[in-house]
Each structure stands twice: as structure tokens, then as C-alpha cells.
Amino acid sequence: MLDIRLLREQPDAVKASLARAGVEPQLVDVVLGFDEQRRALLFEVEQLKALRNTTSKEISTLKDAAIRDAKIAEMRTVGDRIAILDKQVAEVEANQMAAILELRNLPHDSVPVGPDEEHNVVLQTIGTPRQFDFAPKPHWELGESLGIIDFERGVKISGSRFYVLKGMGSRLQRALIQWLLDLHGNQGYQEVYTPFVVKELSLWGARQLPKFRDNLYHDAEEDLWLVPTAEVPVTNLHRDEIFDASQLPIHYCAYTPCFRREKMSAGRDVRGIKRGHQFDKVEMYKFVHPDTSYAELEQLRLDAEESCRLLGIPYRTKILCTGDMGFASTKTYDIEVWAPGQNEWLEVSSCSNVESFQARATNIRFRAEAGAKTEFVHTLNGSGLGIPRTMIAIMENYQNPDGSITVPDVLRPYLGGIDTIQPYTRK
RNA sequence: GGAGAGAUGGCGGAGUGGUCGAUCGCGCUCGUCUUGAAAACGAGAGAACUAACGUUCCGAGGGUUCGAAUCCCUCUCUCUCCUCCA
């Protein structure tokens, strides 16, 4: 959520910034129109309340019944007027809030301008794609022939976009989660385990609502929502809290499954485990001092890249253009890994600075020094990493001609020391 | 699921219609004392909007009243006991 004062004081700068992201800027004027109405109403109603407060105190000291009754009668009409104005204020406020929540965050000046993903800029490509002396297979073929991914039974149990991992498939996923949490722990992120279902308020705080309502699973009976990313519970961890500056920065990592209805991408990426309704992810999240948030973003990106590097998978880093960035983000890096079997780059991480966008919506503040005015913290989030796509990259990059998969060195201790994934044999 | 109790400032806990944005204790900050610390003593401090005056906030929402932390209604949450369950 944007700062209303920023809109009030620098409307043209805000509009220009939104225009860079391809957003029609009229909404700014709508918000400001409500703001003006609201403040005019507040001015009137607050004066009346001041009058009522002083007069009410006066009434309690009045001895003369006639004067007293006259004052009470007078205040009764004032009270009626206040009730009407209060109602109007609430209405205008709700309209203003609804309008300002529609506004996306302002892109940082360093972000390239462009309408869509075609205008994202590749910053670096690390690692050389392996040269195969056989035709590399896509992971769905490898997974089925090894018996570690079962698509048909996933669909039987839960429908399309669900799959079952078996044997070493399941273990590989578990190993990846644990290895990533350990790695990020060593990078200074404190591990947290959060609920996987949240109240609606938490989704507003992480700014998933109102925009992504159609992508969320909702339990109507309990009015709870399945998390689409760990970002949601972790953002809300410190809702309504005020930090001392000395407590910042706070770095967390969290594993959660993520649940997404994927209504927007119906029919896309239906093959394999690239885009399921349920997938696992390890997420990194930071609460930081505003002065450091862009330096923290660079480090966040390096920390995510580190996991790709250690896995020995070719990857590239992109900076997203203004039109392709997420709603809440001011600057986003995507990290993509190479998947030779399906011949494409797969997004495994998205690292964003959202500045105070979520902190304002969740009321997370800090005090620069004792007695100082509170300020909103900046928050950042980055995947580290999305598990299924990382599994795809491992399977496709490390595949052997016989269909087996070599286990990356760093994961071997997490898989009982084995070096190759072979078809299951009963013990 | 059944029965009961409760929700007040960082924490504990007063406050049952006006003098309450709220007694007090702990904790916190600053000062005095001390080589330093502790102790003692003194002073200070809630949040939001506002240029300011002022307004709002005692779980949330609504109501009664000239006036509500205090009375009424609804909701949410927490705790205790029983039941059930990993």
C-alpha cells in the first residue's frame, strides 16, 4: 500500500512512476479526491466533537437545571450531526482505502521500463549447459521410468496438476528442503515454521488480496485460506509490532507448501511438475532498515544464486522490467535454471524489495533511536528455492544415458550417501 | 463438541457513567551517587491523523447517553475444566 502523503505531496511524481509500469494514473486522482473529501469532513466533525467534549464537561458541573437542560438539548442536535458526519467519513475512508489498495508499488529508478516479459534484461548467465552425447529426456519421462514421479495416480487422487512423488523422488524433495534450510541458516536466516493456512487479514497484509483472490484456495467453513507462499505467514509474523533499530535487520527462512489454483494459467505448463496446485518452496524474508533495503536485495539475490551454484546447475539472473514485476515490488530479480530436457529456462527464484508496501499494510514499524518517531520497515522476499523446478533441473542436468540420475555432491549426505538415483528395488 | 472465566499501555494489574489516555508495580530511558556496576534517590516516556488547535484509540463492530474503558447487543480471540485426537 502506498503512502497517502506521498500521493498528496507529489502526485505528479507518483503518476509518472506508475506510468513507467504501464499503469493508468487516473486512479491517483480518484484517491486524492476521496482524500480531500475525507479531510474536509474530518475538519467539520472534529470541531463538533471538540465542542461536545468541552460542553459535556461543563454540563457535569452545572447546578442550574434550566441551563443544564438547554445545553443537553443543544448537544443532542450536535450529536446527531456528528453521527451523520461520522458515517460519511467512514464511507469516504472505505472508498479511499479500496482505491489506494488498487495501486501497485512504484518501480525503482534502476528498473528497466517495458510492458511485458520480453523487456526483462538478462544480467548474467553462470555455468555452461552440459553437452549431451545422447538426447536428454524431459523430467516427466525420467521420473516415470525411474518410478519416482507418478502423474496418473496424483490425478486419480486429487485431479489435474497434482502428482505423487515416490521413493527417491520423495526423498530428493525432502533432501532439497533440508539442504536449503541448512544453507540459508548458515547465510544468517533464522528458520521459522509457520501455519500453512491463514486468516483473510493476513492475505491483505501480504497484499495477495484483493488482486490474487482467484488464485487462492479458501475454506469457506472456517474462513481460512491456504498459503500461496511462505511470504504470507512470514510477513504477518510481526504485524503491528514496533522494533528498535538495533533489532534490524531480521532475516528469516521458511519452508512451506504453496497452494495455487492457477486459474490464470489454465492449459499452460500442464506437463510434468513445473506448475502444480501444490508445491514446496523454501522462502527467504527480510525486515530491514529502509536505508539498507537495496543492499539487502543484492545480498538476497546472491544468497539465492548460491544454492544454484552449489547444486552445479547452469543459471541466469534477470532483472524484471516495470511491466513484468509483481504488484508489490519496486525491484525484482528472477533466477532461472536451465532444463535441458524440456529445453527451457525455469524460474526458481524471484527476489524482490517491496520497500514499505507490505509494512504499511501490516503496520510493521521501527524507531531509529529511542524516542524517535516510528517509521515503516522495508521488507524483502526471495525464493530459495522453488522445489519442483529445482528438481526438474537436477533430474534433467544430471541424467545419464540409462535414465538414471547422478546426485549432486551437496545433496549426497542428505540422501544416505548414494550417488545415483536408480529404479526402485525392494530391499 | 459441552461448561465456565476473561480481553486495559512492553509485561503484570487497578479502574462499574463525567475530574480517565487511564492509579500502581515491574521493566525501559536519562540524571544524581559510584573507579565501574548494583542498590538508593530524582526525572521522563503509549499510538495514529494534524502546520497548529484539536480529534481518535482500553479485543472488533454496533447501540443507549449531553457524555462510555465503565451500561446493552453481536462477533472474534484467549484461558480453565470435561470430551476427543496425533
Side-chain angles (χ1 to χ4, degrees):
Chain A
M1 157 181 186
L2 291 174
D3 183 358
I4 181 64
R5 267 175 299 194
L6 184 66
L7 302 207
R8 213 140 65 195
E9 286 159 20
Q10 302 179 46
D12 294 333
V14 171
K15 287 182 195 171
S17 187
L18 287 172
R20 294 180 71 233
V23 175
E24 295 293 332
Q26 300 96 311
L27 196 52
V28 172
D29 291 323
V30 174
V31 172
L32 289 175
F34 286 130
D35 188 48
E36 223 166 282
Q37 276 184 54
R38 192 186 114 255
R39 295 206 290 163
L41 288 166
L42 274 181
F43 181 76
E44 190 182 348
V45 76
E46 284 183 5
Q47 282 191 324
L48 290 175
K49 283 179 178 174
L51 174 66
R52 182 177 67 180
N53 287 345
T54 52
T55 311
S56 290
K57 275 177 194 166
E58 206 183 317
I59 287 171
S60 67
T61 63
L62 285 176
K63 298 276 184 277
D64 186 316
I67 299 177
R68 190 184 155 94
D69 289 347
K71 288 279 186 196
I72 288 176
E74 190 189 331
M75 283 309 105
R76 195 171 288 145
T77 57
V78 169
D80 291 345
R81 178 72 185 147
I82 287 172
I84 292 167
L85 288 171
D86 269 346
K87 206 168 219 175
Q88 289 178 4
V89 169
E91 244 167 66
V92 172
E93 238 164 28
N95 288 336
Q96 182 183 333
M97 184 57 81
I100 201 167
L101 286 174
E102 295 289 329
L103 287 172
R104 59 149 301 132
N105 206 352
L106 308 178
H108 191 258
D109 287 341
S110 62
V111 172
V113 177
D116 55 41
E117 59 186 27
E118 300 298 316
H119 294 76
N120 297 340
V121 178
V122 176
L123 299 177
Q124 59 173 10
T125 303
I126 307 289
T128 333
R130 171 180 159 197
Q131 294 302 307
F132 288 88
D133 49 14
F134 60 94
K137 291 178 185 156
H139 72 281
W140 53 83
E141 285 181 24
L142 293 163
E144 284 199 307
S145 62
L146 284 168
I148 62 175
I149 310 177
D150 188 336
F151 295 102
E152 278 183 32
R153 291 196 177 89
V155 172
K156 176 165 75 180
I157 299 168
S158 301
S160 70
R161 287 195 191 279
F162 288 95
Y163 52 84
V164 172
L165 300 179
K166 288 165 87 171
M168 288 309 294
S170 179
R171 286 192 67 184
L172 176 61
Q173 164 154 300
R174 183 158 55 86
L176 265 173
I177 292 165
Q178 186 152 352
W179 174 70
L180 284 166
L181 286 171
D182 288 349
L183 173 67
H184 297 318
N186 289 333
Q187 289 168 337
Y189 297 82
Q190 188 185 17
E191 184 177 335
V192 285
Y193 170 86
T194 67
F196 301 159
V197 292
V198 296
K199 300 193 277 197
E200 179 172 328
L201 182 64
S202 297
L203 288 159
W204 287 96
R207 304 302 286 109
Q208 292 285 326
L209 288 173
K211 208 167 174 187
F212 301 114
R213 185 177 293 274
D214 289 347
N215 200 30
L216 298 167
Y217 287 99
H218 177 224
D219 167 33
E221 205 144 53
E222 299 289 344
D223 196 20
L224 288 171
W225 303 67
L226 301 189
V227 298
T229 160
E231 189 188 328
V232 174
V234 176
T235 302
N236 283 277
L237 217 48
H238 294 297
R239 187 168 61 209
D240 294 320
E241 292 182 25
I242 301 174
F243 296 113
D244 291 330
S246 63
Q247 292 174 270
L248 302 176
I250 296 170
H251 294 177
Y252 288 122
C253 60
Y255 153 77
T256 70
C258 304
F259 300 95
R260 300 185 183 181
R261 293 172 65 199
E262 299 292 358
K263 289 289 176 210
M264 314 289 277
S265 35
R268 257 177 55 201
D269 308 321
V270 286
R271 203 88 198 263
I273 62 171
K274 178 179 170 188
R275 190 183 294 274
H277 286 310
Q278 168 188 324
F279 68 93
D280 283 10
K281 179 158 64 69
V282 170
E283 183 79 2
M284 297 178 280
Y285 199 93
K286 298 181 172 187
F287 298 87
V288 307
H289 190 292
D291 292 348
T292 66
S293 65
Y294 283 94
E296 291 274 8
L297 177 61
E298 296 306 313
Q299 188 59 50
L300 182 64
R301 173 197 133 185
L302 291 173
D303 291 337
E305 287 172 353
E306 175 84 347
S307 32
C308 300
R309 192 180 65 74
L310 290 173
L311 285 170
I313 297 166
Y315 67 91
R316 65 181 193 182
T317 308
K318 280 176 168 175
I319 180 166
L320 299 191
C321 72
T322 53
D324 197 36
M325 275 196 311
F327 185 78
S329 176
T330 62
K331 186 172 184 176
T332 297
Y333 294 110
D334 271 10
I335 299 166
E336 299 178 331
V337 290
W338 177 241
Q342 54 197 81
N343 210 36
E344 65 171 330
W345 292 94
L346 295 174
E347 180 195 330
V348 285
S349 179
S350 195
C351 298
S352 300
N353 186 359
V354 306
E355 294 193 9
S356 57
F357 203 70
Q358 289 173 335
R360 187 169 285 107
T362 38
N363 201 27
I364 302 172
R365 293 161 293 170
F366 76 102
R367 238 182 274 277
E369 52 197 270
K373 216 170 145 44
T374 59
E375 302 170 57
F376 290 108
V377 300
H378 281 191
T379 61
L380 302 94
N381 62 82
S383 343
L385 306 163
I387 303 295
R389 292 179 186 181
T390 306
M391 285 188 30
I392 292 174
I394 290 171
M395 291 171 71
E396 295 187 5
N397 280 290
Y398 281 92
Q399 63 180 291
N400 300 312
D402 64 357
S404 67
I405 295 163
T406 302
V407 176
D409 289 342
V410 292
L411 293 181
R412 290 181 189 180
Y414 292 84
L415 286 172
I418 66 152
D419 54 13
T420 314
I421 296 177
Q422 305 278 4
Y424 182 70
T425 51
R426 196 157 47 164
K427 288 198 175 110

